[in-house]
């Protein structure tokens, strides 16, 4: 069974959804038969690398709500993250463009480090409030998961893997993905959003039974 996960590094629901899927797989008796691959999706391909101003105000403007309501919404999201073992500091995150982070993920895939790299990027963004478009930061994060510093620098100063990112974004468009996280199983079944663990497990079992029948 193959699960493709379209997600973005700056999507809080994507990390929560990833953890819920993992919790479902822990309960799935055929987890050793499952491969999970991450696919690129930029929530805002035109996002600037550097944002001016307060992040909460930025979100409040985006969603046309008050600062107070946005703080409350962020707290609810932080509580959801905590339920799956994650620590979010949404008041401190540094919004940015994620193209280079996605290119780095494609590079990490060459060395079998994709999952470690995506986790490191999520933690850097949501927990440690790091700037995940800054090249020095990306090199440091890549080193944390055992990737070669010199090779990573070469990738970042080039446009390597940009075509791969664009292709996966086109694939998402072709199959009707409009938001993330979006999970596709065997290119036949889809789960949209950070669904509860029980929903993931139910779909996994349904797909397995249908495919093995």
């Amino acid at each position: 069974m193959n699960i493709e996960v379209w997600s973005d590094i700056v999507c809080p629901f994507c990390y929560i959804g990833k953890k819920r899927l993992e919790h479902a797989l822990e309960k799935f008796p055929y987890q050793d038969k499952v491969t999970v691959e991450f696919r690129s999706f930029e929530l805002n391909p035109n996002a600037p690398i550097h944002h001016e101003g307060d992040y909460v105000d930025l979100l409040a403007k985006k969603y046309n709500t008050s600062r107070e309501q946005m703080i409350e919404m962020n707290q609810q999201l932080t509580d959801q993250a905590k339920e799956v073992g994650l620590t979010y500091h949404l008041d401190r995150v540094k919004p940015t463009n994620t193209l280079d982070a996605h290119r780095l993920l494609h590079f990490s895939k060459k060395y079998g480090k994709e999952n470690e790299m995506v986790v490191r990027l999520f933690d850097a963004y949501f927990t440690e409030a790091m700037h995940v478009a800054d090249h020095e930061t990306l090199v440091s994060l890549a080193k944390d998961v055992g990737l070669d510093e010199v090779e990573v620098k070469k990738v970042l100063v080039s446009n390597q893997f940009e075509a791969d990112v664009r292709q996966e974004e086109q694939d998402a468009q072709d199959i009707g993905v409009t938001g993330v996280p979006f999970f596709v199983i065997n290119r036949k079944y889809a789960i949209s959003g950070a669904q509860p663990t029980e929903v993931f497990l139910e779909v996994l079992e349904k797909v397995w039974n249908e495919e093995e029948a």
Side-chain angles (χ1 to χ4, degrees):
M1 184 185 293
N2 179 249
I3 305 175
E4 296 169 277
V5 185
W6 271 269
S7 64
D8 197 2
I9 299 306
V10 296
C11 164
F13 293 105
C14 290
Y15 201 7
I16 292 171
K18 179 184 187 303
K19 294 295 285 188
R20 288 177 177 170
L21 171 62
E22 289 171 352
H23 291 166
L25 286 170
E26 287 170 5
K27 300 176 182 178
F28 186 58
Y30 309 104
Q31 61 176 287
D32 59 325
K33 306 290 187 184
V34 179
T35 57
V36 179
E37 299 180 89
F38 292 91
R39 303 294 185 213
S40 297
F41 189 101
E42 293 171 275
L43 288 173
N44 181 6
N46 300 313
I49 290 176
H50 298 285
H51 275 273
E52 297 297 328
D54 180 85
Y55 180 54
V56 175
D57 288 339
L58 188 76
L59 285 177
K61 183 178 180 181
K62 178 181 177 181
Y63 294 110
N64 193 29
T65 186
S66 70
R67 179 179 173 84
E68 289 71 25
Q69 286 174 308
M70 201 67 244
I71 289 172
E72 186 178 331
M73 289 166 66
N74 278 349
Q75 185 56 54
Q76 291 171 357
L77 198 48
T78 299
D79 291 342
Q80 284 188 48
K82 190 174 182 180
E83 287 173 5
V84 292
L86 301 175
T87 302
Y88 278 8
H89 295 296
L90 298 177
D91 56 327
R92 297 197 282 120
V93 301
K94 295 180 174 63
T96 189
N97 188 288
T98 56
L99 175 59
D100 285 347
H102 283 292
R103 292 198 300 117
L104 178 57
L105 279 172
H106 278 275
F107 171 74
S108 70
K109 193 181 299 186
K110 284 176 54 180
Y111 297 95
K113 297 280 188 177
E114 183 186 27
N115 188 64
E116 292 97 322
M117 192 72 252
V118 76
V119 168
R120 190 67 196 93
L121 284 163
F122 274 137
D123 284 339
Y125 187 75
F126 288 111
T127 304
E128 300 162 59
M130 298 174 79
H131 196 300
V132 296
D134 176 76
H135 283 190
E136 285 188 14
T137 299
L138 289 174
V139 170
S140 175
L141 296 176
K143 285 172 63 181
D144 287 347
V145 301
L147 294 172
D148 182 78
E149 178 178 357
V150 174
E151 284 194 79
V152 172
K153 285 180 178 178
K154 286 180 181 177
V155 169
L156 292 174
V157 298
S158 71
N159 65 349
Q160 284 185 70
F161 302 105
E162 182 173 352
D164 300 86
V165 173
R166 299 302 178 213
Q167 182 58 58
E168 290 184 356
E169 291 175 338
Q170 184 60 52
D171 290 345
Q173 194 172 324
D174 291 345
I175 63 177
V177 180
T178 56
V180 288
F182 196 87
F183 306 81
V184 177
I185 306 174
N186 292 348
R187 283 285 167 130
K188 288 172 65 178
Y189 309 85
I191 302 172
S192 179
Q195 299 293 333
T197 297
E198 294 72 23
V199 172
F200 280 113
L201 185 58
E202 185 179 320
V203 174
L204 289 171
E205 290 172 342
K206 177 176 181 288
V207 172
W208 183 267
N209 291 333
E210 285 184 9
E211 300 267 300
E212 293 300 306

